[in-house]
């Protein structure tokens, strides 16, 4: 294949997503969950950065780290560099290069972290081999690799669905080839194709695909190369770079009681070989997507070091206390959070970020043993209700860097909704904020004379947009203003306090 894009989708831009799993603070938590030593992060590289939004956000929230980001799409690199310039970032370098070209560079540092999100399943075998070469030559001893990929056996039933959509779209000359391919596949289902009858999961998977963002779907389904992997296959691939599997970056994976029955847990405990054990686990939960961390030389912590590391872990709420549900969802279904354990933890954290040592010392938690506290924190982080934080030291420097980035994002909110995360100097990670709430924050920070609802309505209506209520656009100005007024009240009560605790507002 001679085209520069090697069959990868380049005529549709990738989404401007953010993925907390490869932020330095979250990776440190993953190492702690694996009882592994956490090294310092000075040099961070993302291979295949797409639009570069996530890596720009991380650079803004972690100015103490030097970031490198690589992508072969010049339009995406140009957009990423433009955002970095707007955000006044001086600690990030973008490389417009193929993986093979990047592998030939001799002027790069050894990286402490290399991240590959949404890359490994979507590039040809020759490019995967080049990625392994980069990991082998550019990751320092003790360094981490974050890698995500489509997984088997979860994709086994739906993989033919993707193949059909890809084949139809490949030969469709229409502008919207993805919609045409999805409609064609749906028609096949309606005509009673035996594939759908023999694979009951395929119909719901197709229905779910139809609801996804079209830009995301184009990159998920329409690349010439698409491959789902068994975990053990990826372990074998990365072993060539002297990497060993450390842990899943999905925090809830570490809470077996909500994902596996007792008998299933006993079965896994009987398997001594790590790759087989983790692959067997994927069969038990029918895994479709994995977010894994690998390490080049694992250093185990002693039991005393593990406890000390947990005590120094600082966490912050990502939702206002009243919005946190009393259940958490695992593979086995919804599990109820015991109020006698979780309520006092959440009450204390409502006052601001705390270390586990500070939580343990609080009189409201004195009846809670350390193991229960540790598990509760893990559950709340996994559910997205808490976030691990960076140390307080250096927070003022991070705040200045994050503020410039957030101003650039908020400026874009006047023109579109593609950027939906802001940088937190407290967590060193991203925090989701929709367009209306971003505009409310702009109004709050600039202290404008017009009302918040009129400011947002003027912005939206000038672009021919209307506010959605229950999925239906409100037509007249009065109804739009009333809905925006209600949303601003919710913003003040439920959103702004969290933004303030995270150092964003």
């Amino acid at each position: 294949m001679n085209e520069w894009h090697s069959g990868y989708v380049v005529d549709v831009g990738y989404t401007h997503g953010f993925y907390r799993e490869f932020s330095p603070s979250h990776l440190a938590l993953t190492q702690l969950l694996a009882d592994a030593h956490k090294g310092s992060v000075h040099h961070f590289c993302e291979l295949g950065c797409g639009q570069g939004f996530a890596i720009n956000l991380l650079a803004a929230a972690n100015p103490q780290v030097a970031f490198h980001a690589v992508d072969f799409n010049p339009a995406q690199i140009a957009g990423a560099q433009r955002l970095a310039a707007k955000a006044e970032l001086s600690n990030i370098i973008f490389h417009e290069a193929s993986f093979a070209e990047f592998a030939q560079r001799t002027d790069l540092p050894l990286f402490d972290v290399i991240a590959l999100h949404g890359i490994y399943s979507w590039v040809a075998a020759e490019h995967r081999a080049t990625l392994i070469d980069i990991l082998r030559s550019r990751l320092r001893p003790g360094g981490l690799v974050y890698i995500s990929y489509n997984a088997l056996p979860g994709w086994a039933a739906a993989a033919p669905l993707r193949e059909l959509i890809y084949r139809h779209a490949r030969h469709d000359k229409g502008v919207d080839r993805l919609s045409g391919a999805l409609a064609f596949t749906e028609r096949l289902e309606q005509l009673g194709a035996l594939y759908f009858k023999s694979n009951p999961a395929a119909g719901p998977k197709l229905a779910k695909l139809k609801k996804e963002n079209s830009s995301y779907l184009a990159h998920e389904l329409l690349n010439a190369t698409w491959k789902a992997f068994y975990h053990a296959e990826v372990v074998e691939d990365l072993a060539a770079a002297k990497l060993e599997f450390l842990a899943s970056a999905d925090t809830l994976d570490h809470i077996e009681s909500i994902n596996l029955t007792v008998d299933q847990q006993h079965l896994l405990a009987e398997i001594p070989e790590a790759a087989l054990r983790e692959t067997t686990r994927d069969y038990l939960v029918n895994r479709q997507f994995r977010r894994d961390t690998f390490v080049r030389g694992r250093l185990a912590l002693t039991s005393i070091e593990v406890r000390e590391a947990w005590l120094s872990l600082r966490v912050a709420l990502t939702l206002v206390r009243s919005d946190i549900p009393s259940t958490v969802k695992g593979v086995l279904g919804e599990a109820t959070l015991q109020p006698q354990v979780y309520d006092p933890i959440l009450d204390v954290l409502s006052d601001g970020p705390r270390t586990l040592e500070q939580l343990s010392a609080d009189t409201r938690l004195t009846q809670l043993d350390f193991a229960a506290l540790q598990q509760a924190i893990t559950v709340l982080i996994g559910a997205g209700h808490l976030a691990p934080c960076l140390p307080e030291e250096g927070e003022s420097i991070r705040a200045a860097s994050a503020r410039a980035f957030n101003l650039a994002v908020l400026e874009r909110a006047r023109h579109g909704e593609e950027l939906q995360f802001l940088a937190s100097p407290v967590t060193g990670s991203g925090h989701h904020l929709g367009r209306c709430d971003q505009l409310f924050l702009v109004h709050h920070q600039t202290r404008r004379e017009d009302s918040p609802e009129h400011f947002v309505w003027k912005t939206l209506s000038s672009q021919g947009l209307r506010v959605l209520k229950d999925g239906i656009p409100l037509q007249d100005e009065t109804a739009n203003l009333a809905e925006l007024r209600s949303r601003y009240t919710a913003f003040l009560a439920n959103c702004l306090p969290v933004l303030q605790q995270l150092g964003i507002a």
Side-chain angles (χ1 to χ4, degrees):
M1 190 173 292
N2 295 322
E3 298 96 335
W4 65 269
H5 49 77
S6 298
Y8 194 87
V9 170
V10 294
D11 59 338
V12 178
Y14 195 55
T15 57
H16 294 76
F18 178 79
Y19 318 99
R20 64 172 182 159
E21 288 82 7
F22 67 85
S23 63
S25 55
H26 193 93
L27 288 173
L29 171 70
T30 301
Q31 291 172 283
L32 179 54
L33 289 166
D35 295 344
H37 175 74
K38 175 181 71 70
S40 299
V41 179
H42 301 289
H43 298 281
F44 188 116
C45 178
E46 183 181 9
L47 299 174
C49 66
Q51 300 284 3
F53 177 70
I55 201 73
N56 265 322
L57 188 154
L58 289 180
N62 299 269
Q64 75 282 5
V65 179
F67 289 84
H68 290 254
V70 186
D71 202 277
F72 71 161
N73 189 323
Q76 294 185 161
I77 288 294
Q81 290 173 327
R82 180 173 180 268
L83 177 58
K86 285 274 187 182
E88 302 175 5
L89 296 175
S90 59
N91 61 324
I92 186 165
I93 299 173
F94 286 96
H95 304 267
E96 184 216 321
S98 68
F99 296 138
E101 291 168 337
F102 189 71
Q104 294 171 4
R105 295 285 295 269
T106 60
D107 57 343
L108 299 169
L110 288 178
F111 295 110
D112 304 293
V113 176
I114 298 180
L116 302 88
H117 180 79
I119 296 297
Y120 207 67
S121 282
W122 297 269
V123 296
E126 63 194 85
H127 303 310
R128 293 198 297 271
T130 302
L131 290 170
I132 301 301
D133 287 341
I134 294 172
L135 299 181
R136 183 189 300 112
S137 62
R138 299 264 43 102
L139 186 70
R140 69 162 174 82
L144 283 182
V145 169
Y146 166 86
I147 181 170
S148 64
Y149 53 95
N150 282 333
L152 291 169
W155 260 102
L161 194 67
R162 179 266 165 191
E163 182 70 12
L164 182 62
I165 293 169
Y166 163 71
R167 293 288 174 184
H168 188 281
R170 179 180 176 183
H171 295 287
D172 188 349
K173 304 302 180 183
V175 175
D176 195 357
R177 64 190 188 278
L178 178 60
S179 293
L182 289 169
F184 174 80
T185 308
E186 184 178 31
R187 185 181 175 195
L188 200 68
E189 180 187 21
Q190 293 169 349
L191 290 174
L194 287 179
Y195 161 72
F196 286 94
K197 294 182 179 180
S198 300
N199 297 275
K205 181 66 174 178
L206 177 60
K208 183 179 179 181
L209 290 174
K210 289 171 58 184
K211 297 177 182 178
E212 295 280 5
N213 176 282
S214 60
S215 295
Y216 161 77
L217 274 188
H219 286 259
E220 170 67 53
L221 303 177
L222 303 187
N223 294 312
T225 298
W226 185 97
K227 181 176 172 59
F229 293 90
Y230 294 101
H231 169 75
E233 291 181 295
V234 178
V235 169
E236 291 168 357
D237 286 352
L238 270 60
K242 298 184 179 180
L243 290 162
E244 61 177 299
F245 175 66
L246 181 65
S248 168
D250 275 330
T251 309
L252 285 184
D253 280 351
H254 299 265
I255 306 295
E256 299 289 40
S257 60
I258 64 174
N259 296 309
L260 301 171
T261 66
V262 173
D263 288 342
Q264 289 171 343
Q265 293 175 50
H266 288 162
L267 171 66
L268 292 182
E270 296 171 7
I271 303 174
E273 202 267 316
L276 176 58
R277 183 170 59 250
E278 194 69 14
T279 301
T280 303
R281 191 181 191 280
D282 286 347
Y283 276 82
L284 292 172
V285 303
N286 199 34
R287 177 92 65 187
Q288 286 194 356
F289 191 75
R290 288 195 64 101
R291 300 173 177 87
D292 286 345
T293 55
F294 285 75
V295 64
R296 190 174 190 179
R298 180 180 184 271
L299 297 177
L301 297 173
T302 67
S303 58
I304 295 176
E305 289 173 325
V306 169
R307 183 179 177 87
E308 289 176 347
W310 274 104
L311 287 171
S312 66
L313 175 67
R314 191 165 70 118
V315 294
L317 289 178
T318 58
L319 289 175
V320 72
R321 170 73 175 86
S322 58
D323 281 351
I324 295 177
S326 59
T327 59
V328 64
K329 188 174 182 181
V331 175
L332 297 179
E334 284 196 339
T336 301
L337 303 180
Q338 297 174 293
Q340 66 271 27
V341 174
Y342 288 86
D343 284 355
I345 294 173
L346 296 172
D347 289 343
V348 175
L349 290 173
S350 295
D351 297 330
R354 296 287 189 276
T355 64
L356 265 67
E357 184 172 19
Q358 291 170 326
L359 287 171
S360 298
D362 194 287
T363 55
R364 288 168 284 185
L365 275 70
T366 52
Q367 301 302 314
L368 194 61
D369 67 71
F370 186 73
L373 173 62
Q374 179 181 332
Q375 176 168 296
I377 294 298
T378 304
V379 169
L380 290 169
I381 292 175
H385 308 327
L386 293 185
C389 300
L390 296 174
E392 286 188 78
E393 182 183 1
E395 196 167 291
S396 60
I397 296 173
R398 298 196 301 269
S401 177
R403 187 179 306 113
F405 174 85
N406 291 338
L407 285 174
V409 172
L410 293 174
E411 177 60 30
R412 290 274 284 274
R414 297 173 180 265
H415 310 288
E417 61 178 1
E418 70 273 13
L419 307 184
Q420 298 222 346
F421 291 85
L422 297 179
S424 166
V426 174
T427 65
S429 187
H431 181 74
H432 180 265
L433 198 67
R435 189 184 185 190
C436 275
D437 285 337
Q438 286 188 32
L439 292 172
F440 287 144
L441 182 57
V442 170
H443 186 279
H444 176 79
Q445 291 180 336
T446 55
R447 303 185 183 278
R448 299 172 58 90
E449 292 184 1
D450 53 348
S451 68
E453 63 268 24
H454 278 91
F455 168 66
V456 177
W457 170 242
K458 182 179 178 180
T459 302
L460 298 179
S461 61
S462 67
Q463 299 164 31
L465 300 175
R466 298 292 183 268
V467 178
L468 295 178
K469 185 174 184 179
D470 299 325
I472 301 172
L474 300 173
Q475 295 304 319
D476 64 277
E477 180 177 343
T478 302
N480 276 271
L481 288 172
E483 176 64 16
L484 288 170
R485 194 174 301 114
S486 174
R487 292 191 185 187
Y488 183 66
T489 300
F491 168 82
L492 291 177
N494 303 330
C495 186
L496 187 60
V498 174
L499 295 177
Q500 291 169 335
Q501 286 200 7
L502 295 177
I504 296 173

